[in-house]
Amino acid sequence: MAQPPAFVFNVPETPEDQGQDPSPYDESEVHDSFHQLIQEQSLRAAEEGLELRVLPQREPGPETLGASELLDMSFCFVGSGHQALLGPEGVPDYSTATLRILASMPSRTIGRSRGAILSQYYNRTVRLRRRGSRPPLGGVGRSARPSLRLYDLELDPTAFQEEEKRTLLVKELQGLTVTQRDHMLRGMPLSLAEKRSLREESWTQSGKQRGPQGRRGLLPCCSRLRYACGLGRFSHSVMYYGYYSNTTLNQLCGPPLDGSQCTPEAGGLPYNMPLAYLFTMGMSFFITCITLVYSMSRSFGESYRVGSTSGVHAITVFCSWDYKVTQKWPSRLQQDNIRTQLKELLAEWQLQQGPRSVWGRLRQVAILGFVWLLCLGTTLGCTLAVYAFSELMIKNPVSAEREWELLALPLVVCLLNLGAPYLYRGLAALERHDSPILEVYVAICRCVTRWGRWAFLGQGLCLPGAPPSASTPLVLRRNLILKMVILGILCYHWLGRRVGALKGQCWENFVGQELYRLMVMDFVFTLLDTLFGELVWRFISEKQRKKRGKPEFDIARNVLELIYGQTLTWLGVLFSPLLPAMQIMKLLVLFYVKKTSLMANCRAPRRPWLASHMSTVFVSLLCFPSFLGAAVFLCYAIWQVRPSSICGPFRTLDTMYEAGKVWVRHLEKAGPRVSWLPWIHRYLVENTFPIYLVSALLLAVIYLNIQVVKGQRKVICLLKEQISNEGEDKIFLINKLHSVYEGKERSRVGRAQEAEVPPTLPADERDAR
Amino acid sequence: MGASGSRLSKELLAEYQDLTFLTKQEILLAHRRFCELLPQEHRSVEESLQIRVSLEQILSLPELKANPFKERICRVFSTSPTRDSLSFEDFLDLLSVFSDTATPDIKSHYAFRIFGNTTPSHMVFVLVLLGSWGSSLELILTLSFLASCDCSLDFDDDGTLNRDDLSQLVNCLTGEGEDTRLSASEMKQLIDNILEESDIDRDGTINLSEFQHVISRSPDFASSFKIVL
């Protein structure tokens, strides 16, 4: 059982302490003990009558107890009824001796005293040399807090002076290589002169060795969003499915000599087109899947720390000032922005606290339900519109001269995708502001009348203080639902209805062309949106000199558009293999257009912290509805749909997947050397049992991981509780310390007064004893 | 690269490169800008390394002029006993911490010291800089007022950010004028929220570890905590 370290406590009695502020370099009291203090206290408690008193509460705050409330409610041992002195603003005014001890507490010296910095870096150097992640637990007493074990030189009862710590650090530095030493020195928060002297001392022993000059730290990584476009298509000849041949290319047969098989001539490799097509699609999707899952798991790991999304107030206050601003006007603008942001954060926080009354909560729930109903209704309406329009297109086939009419369906889809986000944003703003029903009707009327973009703009301008990023998750969800449902309807339309309608023709070409048209229309509309939404709005707001200033760059909507574009590509790659190349070019152009527009017309979103959490959301959105939907579409198209009989590499087969089966049968006939492949195919792919087994294993692994994460979160919560308990202990001890000093001070003053009073007690008092 | 008299020696340059996060060009530029602050007759290399420049002159640099934290920054990096002057090496320290390649660790360490650099808590008056756009006359007046008050100009922080520090920090961020400050109730609410979010041990103050923990959650801190000459 570890013994608590023995401390020695020194209560300074000299009056010079009065004027001195706690000096950060005065560390002599760090290692003092409470032992004598407690002894003295218990003696005093036995002698004098003690009174437990609860100090009156200052500034009662919300449910959580702030430190001031805790302090006020703490029990103070008060002798003879004196109250603790209170300084300005109700903060207890500690005596300078208490302040000195407080200032020397390890948690406060970490950031400030040179000795603590030296110890910290000594330990880091030791760890670097030992390559261990924890200091040895053996020598440290149980009372040392885990977080402070890193600075165990501070708690060492042999009380190292600063000079000794420095010598130790220099010794450790000598054991490092030159690069490591310089890297360690560079990162120390000491002044240049001190670093230079440390370096010189550590060099005198090990001799001067010049390392390579001009070392720089690594620059931070670039962005994380990845697109799976590497399909490896090198042929530039064809865009659509229909062109591909269904034979084996390059299989040149010389004249059969003696009835033996065809052998390819030298210089040509046989290329089985159907198989190649199928496998290329399959491999590309597989690689995309792996990449996405890896990316998602990495961002999950980084952003799902407990409490990582909270802390917006602290982060805004500590991290939002941009020090690169050098002129007065932008600086003032920044101050205005930060002030507005802080006020908005406070207002939102207030809103989130929610109305206290039952009636208020019911109203909130009712409004939320109503808004969701509206949104779902809109989505349903849009979906029905798309469905009806597509049926109309089937019924009235487009003649050759009026091919531009084929653009009608993509146009409708794009208009819906454009208009709906503004509607959703308006509804979200309404729901936040608890507005009466009348305003809701007015807003709906404004939105639904299709007066083009200006109506939407007007609504956006008139609604009070609705920042686009405020209710981003909800708006994101609704937008996403709309887009995915529309795409779902279109997929059904193609695979379900068009296949039948285009019997005898090349339906795959048609689907590929539809997707290509959708992509092009999407591109055009995005460009128009950037132009009108941002450039023109800026001109309007400048002309009217509204306080709003430039529009805010809506990250969520832009990323959602990117996801939508990528989904189109994934859907279309089977039918139009060059679609990813078009997508790459479209993305390049869009990137530069958006970047220019952003720099010129928009201001930065006001909640930068949201961006890093959002990247997790976006990658998971890219994976789940988007990629998964495309994969399901692809699987269905490969397994279930009959390919058209006049075009494409699968024209003679029942399903596209049969190409693989045909090849396996061909291999079976080829001979015993490759018999393992058909065996795998028969027993592992066609047989359902291995698939079930693998799925079950996968589910088990996922479940285990979830449980582990849950357990870790529980541990984190427990540790947090433990830390706050320790904090309460600390406050209790501080107050006790303070009261002891107060008592000593009073008794000293009392003794001094007694000494001053002339020792002439009235005679009758003396006689009375 | 500047006047021929103000070239730093190769060894000195290499040493500075090893001990700070600055590149050679940045160090030379810093030296040139520092020498421009000196009077004409003191601009030789040896003198520029010994002499100390007063706070008002450093604060007149355009990169610092518009920064509400300029005074605190200079005080943190000053190594003089009265914390009112910077030598060239202090200036290099400042630029090194604020440079592109400095680690977030050292940046958050110094950010903590800058934010917490306040007058000791038992001082009664609050420092108010009127018309805060860096008029050096007002700065001098305020400083002399402080000196005459028989209060020590010892700006050592006490190692934590308490409510006073936080409210002064917020006032720096929002502007010093009466109409630009947050109201008292807003300020109190904000500070309560900040302490709720970042004070893990619930002692009413934010120490360095808690501060660094909060900073680590923000990916933009390192890129915004930069000053480039």
Side-chain angles (χ1 to χ4, degrees):
Chain A
M1 188 93 127
Q3 291 245 340
F7 293 130
V8 173
F9 186 61
N10 243 342
V11 178
E13 298 260 11
T14 51
E16 289 111 44
D17 290 339
Q18 294 287 336
Q20 276 178 15
D21 292 332
S23 150
Y25 299 126
D26 198 345
E27 295 168 316
S28 51
E29 274 92 20
V30 171
H31 312 295
D32 297 331
S33 114
F34 291 109
H35 179 65
Q36 190 181 344
L37 166 69
I38 293 173
Q39 270 191 333
E40 287 176 359
Q41 261 312 90
S42 33
L43 277 176
R44 279 188 64 207
E47 287 167 16
E48 307 168 21
L50 280 185
E51 196 181 292
L52 277 181
R53 160 146 6 159
V54 179
L55 292 177
Q57 253 186 327
R58 284 227 179 268
E59 306 173 357
E63 288 88 40
T64 57
L65 284 178
S68 46
E69 281 83 17
L70 272 174
L71 281 173
D72 293 333
M73 278 171 55
S74 61
F75 293 105
C76 282
F77 287 97
V78 184
S80 58
H82 286 264
Q83 238 186 336
L85 280 174
L86 290 168
E89 296 172 9
V91 177
D93 190 22
Y94 296 126
S95 69
T96 41
T98 315
L99 278 175
R100 178 183 294 205
I101 293 189
L102 275 186
S104 324
M105 277 202 300
S107 67
R108 295 193 185 194
T109 58
I110 287 169
R112 166 201 68 168
S113 94
R114 199 188 293 143
I117 292 173
L118 288 175
S119 320
Q120 183 185 354
Y121 277 86
Y122 164 71
N123 281 304
R124 278 202 199 171
T125 324
V126 164
R127 254 185 289 148
L128 191 65
R129 287 190 47 209
R130 277 198 216 136
R131 300 262 171 231
S133 59
R134 282 172 174 234
L137 294 177
V140 183
R142 250 211 286 174
S143 54
R145 295 213 295 256
S147 61
L148 294 178
R149 281 196 207 129
L150 292 173
Y151 313 110
D152 56 356
L153 271 185
E154 291 291 294
L155 299 174
D156 200 320
T158 56
F160 282 137
Q161 293 303 316
E162 194 182 305
E163 282 311 309
E164 291 164 319
K165 290 180 198 169
R166 209 189 136 86
T167 334
L168 281 171
L169 176 62
V170 164
K171 247 194 269 178
E172 284 298 323
L173 282 175
Q174 282 162 7
L176 297 176
T177 65
V178 176
T179 334
Q180 283 177 321
R181 189 188 308 164
D182 281 342
H183 183 73
M184 184 67 70
L185 279 174
R186 223 180 277 146
M188 282 194 200
L190 297 169
S191 74
L192 202 60
E194 288 160 356
K195 284 198 251 193
R196 187 190 287 130
S197 60
L198 277 172
R199 196 167 93 130
E200 277 168 9
E201 279 174 43
S202 67
W203 270 10
T204 46
Q205 253 73 345
S206 59
K208 295 217 177 209
Q209 298 159 35
R210 282 251 162 218
Q213 297 188 3
R215 288 175 294 276
R216 302 285 308 269
L218 289 173
L219 293 171
C221 289
C222 48
S223 78
R224 278 191 212 147
L225 274 178
R226 292 180 210 165
Y227 293 96
C229 346
L231 287 185
R233 292 251 146 206
F234 305 118
S235 74
H236 296 282
S237 52
V238 293
M239 178 75 178
Y240 296 113
Y241 167 101
Y243 183 82
Y244 292 87
S245 128
N246 71 329
T247 57
T248 304
L249 308 175
N250 272 352
Q251 187 146 33
L252 303 163
C253 293
L257 295 169
D258 40 342
S260 57
Q261 287 182 348
C262 274
T263 48
E265 280 187 18
L269 274 173
Y271 191 74
N272 188 342
M273 186 52 103
L275 211 59
Y277 200 92
L278 193 68
F279 278 171
T280 314
M281 296 295 158
M283 271 321 276
S284 63
F285 264 76
F286 185 66
I287 292 175
T288 311
C289 184
I290 302 278
T291 315
L292 275 176
V293 167
Y294 174 69
S295 192
M296 209 169 54
S297 65
R298 265 194 44 198
S299 42
F300 256 73
E302 286 192 21
S303 84
Y304 271 79
R305 282 177 249 147
V306 173
S308 68
T309 54
S310 61
V312 55
H313 295 94
I315 289 178
T316 309
V317 167
F318 292 143
C319 308
S320 55
W321 183 266
D322 189 356
Y323 290 73
K324 299 194 283 285
V325 163
T326 55
Q327 321 221 309
K328 270 188 208 171
W329 185 72
S331 182
R332 211 184 280 259
L333 199 66
Q334 220 189 133
Q335 285 183 329
D336 286 340
N337 276 343
I338 292 181
R339 186 177 58 248
T340 322
Q341 195 177 347
L342 286 173
K343 289 198 178 182
E344 270 178 20
L345 279 176
L346 285 171
E348 248 189 69
W349 182 83
Q350 201 68 41
L351 262 180
Q352 267 176 17
Q353 298 305 101
R356 306 286 172 90
S357 68
V358 180
W359 184 242
R361 282 193 205 274
L362 268 177
R363 208 165 83 108
Q364 226 179 12
V365 168
I367 288 186
L368 189 70
F370 180 70
V371 168
W372 261 105
L373 268 177
L374 269 180
C375 291
L376 286 176
T378 323
T379 311
L380 201 64
C382 293
T383 318
L384 283 174
V386 169
Y387 181 70
F389 202 80
S390 60
E391 288 293 311
L392 196 70
M393 295 288 288
I394 283 189
K395 284 206 191 85
N396 308 342
V398 170
S399 54
E401 323 59 86
R402 295 170 67 182
E403 277 189 347
W404 56 270
E405 276 181 12
L406 283 171
L407 286 175
L409 184 60
L411 192 75
V412 166
V413 170
C414 285
L415 275 176
L416 288 173
N417 278 333
L418 201 66
Y422 287 91
L423 171 69
Y424 292 150
R425 201 200 295 179
L427 287 175
L430 285 173
E431 138 198 14
R432 281 179 61 229
H433 287 269
D434 292 335
S435 49
I437 301 292
L438 185 62
E439 267 193 55
V440 172
Y441 280 136
V442 169
I444 293 178
C445 291
R446 243 190 263 142
C447 297
V448 167
T449 49
R450 307 252 169 185
W451 286 348
R453 308 237 359 164
W454 302 105
F456 301 134
L457 278 179
Q459 167 228 317
L461 278 173
C462 298
L463 276 174
S469 52
S471 50
T472 307
L474 268 179
V475 175
L476 201 66
R477 241 174 274 162
R478 291 168 190 160
N479 272 328
L480 186 72
I481 291 176
L482 176 74
K483 286 188 158 72
M484 291 302 141
V485 167
I486 288 183
L487 281 180
I489 286 287
L490 284 173
C491 289
Y492 163 73
H493 167 70
W494 292 322
L495 286 187
R497 308 278 289 121
R498 279 285 174 185
V499 176
L502 289 175
K503 270 245 169 354
Q505 296 169 46
C506 200
W507 64 267
E508 292 98 343
N509 265 13
F510 181 80
V511 175
Q513 284 159 6
E514 280 274 295
L515 279 161
Y516 174 72
R517 282 191 288 267
L518 269 172
M519 178 186 282
V520 169
M521 288 303 280
D522 186 46
F523 177 57
V524 166
F525 268 78
T526 314
L527 282 178
L528 285 176
D529 186 22
T530 312
L531 194 67
F532 287 108
E534 291 165 7
L535 185 67
V536 178
W537 191 328
R538 185 181 76 139
F539 283 141
I540 290 178
S541 62
E542 271 178 7
K543 287 232 169 74
Q544 296 184 357
R545 289 183 198 282
K546 281 209 188 277
K547 266 220 152 187
R548 241 161 223 276
K550 297 182 178 175
E552 192 177 308
F553 185 73
D554 193 352
I555 289 182
R557 198 160 68 89
N558 279 291
V559 179
L560 208 56
E561 279 175 19
L562 286 174
I563 293 179
Y564 174 71
Q566 190 54 40
T567 318
L568 287 177
T569 312
W570 280 329
L571 286 174
V573 74
L574 183 65
F575 306 109
S576 171
L578 282 188
L579 210 59
M582 315 290 303
Q583 168 79 345
I584 292 176
M585 287 195 302
K586 167 188 159 192
L587 286 174
L588 275 172
V589 172
L590 263 184
F591 175 72
Y592 287 106
V593 166
K594 286 264 177 197
K595 182 176 168 186
T596 324
S597 164
L598 169 71
M599 294 302 185
N601 301 331
C602 296
R603 59 167 199 270
R606 275 172 296 187
R607 300 227 286 196
W609 70 272
L610 207 55
S612 62
H613 173 64
M614 277 310 208
S615 69
T616 314
V617 173
F618 292 142
V619 172
S620 44
L621 282 179
L622 193 66
C623 196
F624 283 125
S626 170
F627 179 75
L628 210 64
V632 165
F633 176 75
L634 189 83
C635 290
Y636 183 78
I638 288 184
W639 256 302
Q640 296 294 332
V641 181
R642 193 188 165 78
S644 67
S645 50
I646 59 159
C647 64
F650 305 107
R651 53 190 93 155
T652 51
L653 305 166
D654 276 335
T655 65
M656 296 189 199
Y657 184 67
E658 257 196 46
K661 284 196 208 164
V662 164
W663 181 61
V664 167
R665 270 181 254 136
H666 181 73
L667 277 180
E668 273 175 0
K669 286 192 224 137
R673 277 200 329 185
V674 280
S675 61
W676 54 273
L677 212 53
W679 184 88
I680 289 179
H681 184 262
R682 197 176 321 135
Y683 289 109
L684 292 181
V685 177
E686 300 238 300
N687 199 358
T688 48
F689 177 68
I691 295 179
Y692 285 146
L693 193 66
V694 167
S695 320
L697 275 174
L698 208 64
L699 282 173
V701 166
I702 292 174
Y703 175 75
L704 276 172
N705 274 320
I706 291 177
Q707 290 302 321
V708 164
V709 167
K710 268 196 198 164
Q712 283 173 346
R713 283 196 198 183
K714 246 188 230 166
V715 167
I716 290 175
C717 289
L718 284 174
L719 284 173
K720 272 201 169 164
E721 254 185 63
Q722 193 178 344
I723 292 175
S724 47
N725 285 338
E726 297 256 347
E728 284 182 38
D729 282 350
K730 190 165 82 173
I731 290 172
F732 172 74
L733 286 172
I734 289 172
N735 286 315
K736 219 155 170 258
L737 188 69
H738 169 65
S739 66
V740 164
Y741 275 119
E742 284 294 297
K744 279 207 176 276
E745 184 61 30
R746 254 177 267 119
S747 61
R748 189 180 64 84
V749 164
R751 263 180 272 141
Q753 278 177 355
E754 271 180 26
E756 281 171 17
V757 166
T760 51
L761 287 173
D764 41 349
E765 242 200 63
R766 236 189 256 155
D767 296 337
R769 290 227 191 116
Chain B
M1 203 67 87
S4 57
S6 54
R7 281 259 168 89
L8 294 170
S9 68
K10 272 213 178 110
E11 291 86 25
L12 206 55
L13 257 184
E15 188 174 33
Y16 287 152
Q17 268 186 283
D18 284 340
L19 292 177
T20 64
F21 290 99
L22 301 170
T23 60
K24 192 160 114 174
Q25 290 84 5
E26 287 168 353
I27 297 174
L28 289 170
L29 178 61
H31 189 245
R32 196 173 73 212
R33 296 291 293 278
F34 190 76
C35 288
E36 282 167 13
L37 294 173
L38 299 172
Q40 193 65 24
E41 58 275 7
H42 296 302
R43 285 191 189 178
S44 66
V45 177
E46 304 79 29
E47 281 213 61
S48 67
L49 296 177
Q50 309 288 339
I51 202 169
R52 302 189 81 91
V53 167
S54 72
L55 220 58
E56 295 86 32
Q57 282 180 291
I58 292 281
L59 294 180
S60 69
L61 281 174
E63 286 81 10
L64 286 177
K65 223 182 345 185
N67 197 324
F69 300 105
K70 54 186 180 245
E71 214 197 303
R72 299 172 178 224
I73 292 173
C74 294
R75 285 197 196 280
V76 164
F77 286 100
S78 163
T79 50
S80 73
T82 46
R83 300 274 182 130
D84 59 356
S85 58
L86 285 179
S87 69
F88 176 61
E89 295 191 344
D90 296 338
F91 189 57
L92 274 189
D93 266 333
L94 195 159
L95 292 173
S96 165
V97 168
F98 278 98
S99 78
D100 223 354
T101 45
T103 58
D105 213 19
I106 201 173
K107 281 189 198 254
S108 57
H109 185 105
Y110 276 98
F112 182 73
R113 288 177 59 183
I114 290 169
F115 292 155
N117 211 6
T118 182
T119 57
S121 57
H122 59 265
M123 279 199 178
V124 179
F125 61 88
V126 174
L127 207 65
V128 173
L129 290 175
L130 305 166
S132 62
W133 296 119
S135 156
S136 52
L137 179 65
E138 280 158 6
L139 195 62
I140 293 172
L141 284 175
T142 322
L143 289 174
S144 52
F145 166 62
L146 275 181
S148 67
C149 269
D150 193 32
C151 301
S152 72
L153 277 184
D154 180 19
F155 278 92
D156 284 332
D157 53 327
D158 56 354
T160 56
L161 299 178
N162 56 15
R163 294 186 83 102
D164 280 334
D165 292 323
L166 288 175
S167 74
Q168 283 194 27
L169 172 59
V170 173
N171 283 333
C172 275
L173 284 177
T174 60
E176 297 282 347
E178 273 312 307
D179 55 338
T180 53
R181 287 189 186 201
L182 295 182
S183 70
S185 65
E186 282 175 338
M187 179 70 83
K188 182 184 173 309
Q189 188 61 58
L190 181 63
I191 293 181
D192 283 343
N193 285 352
I194 292 175
L195 286 174
E196 170 75 36
E197 289 160 2
S198 29
D199 189 14
I200 302 180
D201 60 2
R202 305 267 172 255
D203 64 348
T205 64
I206 301 177
N207 63 17
L208 178 66
S209 325
E210 290 161 351
F211 182 78
Q212 283 181 324
H213 186 239
V214 170
I215 294 285
S216 68
R217 288 191 225 139
S218 160
D220 310 307
F221 172 70
S223 57
S224 68
F225 200 73
K226 260 194 237 177
I227 289 179
V228 182
L229 275 187

